[in-house]
């Protein structure tokens, strides 16, 4: 659906209802599209602990790398 800027300002509530129903609305200025109203994509929340129990971390994994280890890491070795 296409609507003018003036139409969008006067009918915003109705246009938002259409968008909530899945329709996209193109807002035009002087016959040229300038904006589009589309439904917001719902992001699926990643559940905390989703990978719990699927792998284990070795003791000391959080320690800082030694200079040699860091050099090997950044050098691709």
């Amino acid at each position: 659906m296409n609507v003018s800027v003036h139409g969008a300002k006067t009918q915003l509530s109705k246009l938002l209802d259409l968008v909530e129903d899945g329709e996209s609305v193109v807002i035009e200025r002087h016959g040229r599209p300038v904006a589009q109203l589309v439904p917001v994509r719902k992001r699926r929340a990643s559940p905390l602990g989703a990978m719990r129990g699927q792998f284990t971390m070795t003791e000391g994994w959080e320690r800082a790398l030694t200079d040699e280890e860091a050099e090997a890491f950044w050098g691709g070795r």
Side-chain angles (χ1 to χ4, degrees):
M1 164 181 224
N2 293 11
V3 64
S4 69
V5 172
H6 176 73
K9 289 194 312 189
T10 59
Q11 300 176 355
L12 181 59
S13 184
K14 176 184 171 189
L15 296 175
L16 290 176
D17 288 341
L18 291 171
V19 170
E20 285 181 327
D21 290 340
E23 185 155 348
S24 66
V25 177
V26 175
I27 301 172
E28 298 178 338
R29 178 181 287 142
H30 306 295
R32 290 190 333 238
V34 294
Q36 184 175 20
L37 297 175
V38 294
V40 174
R41 285 187 289 165
K42 294 181 179 158
R43 296 175 62 192
R44 288 188 314 160
S46 171
L48 245 95
M51 297 291 293
R52 184 170 293 142
Q54 301 206 14
F55 61 93
T56 58
M57 303 298 286
T58 60
E59 178 114 8
W61 67 268
E62 74 284 357
R63 72 169 173 74
L65 297 177
T66 65
D67 290 339
E68 293 80 24
E69 290 171 329
E71 190 173 314
F73 176 80
W74 293 112
R77 292 181 269 138

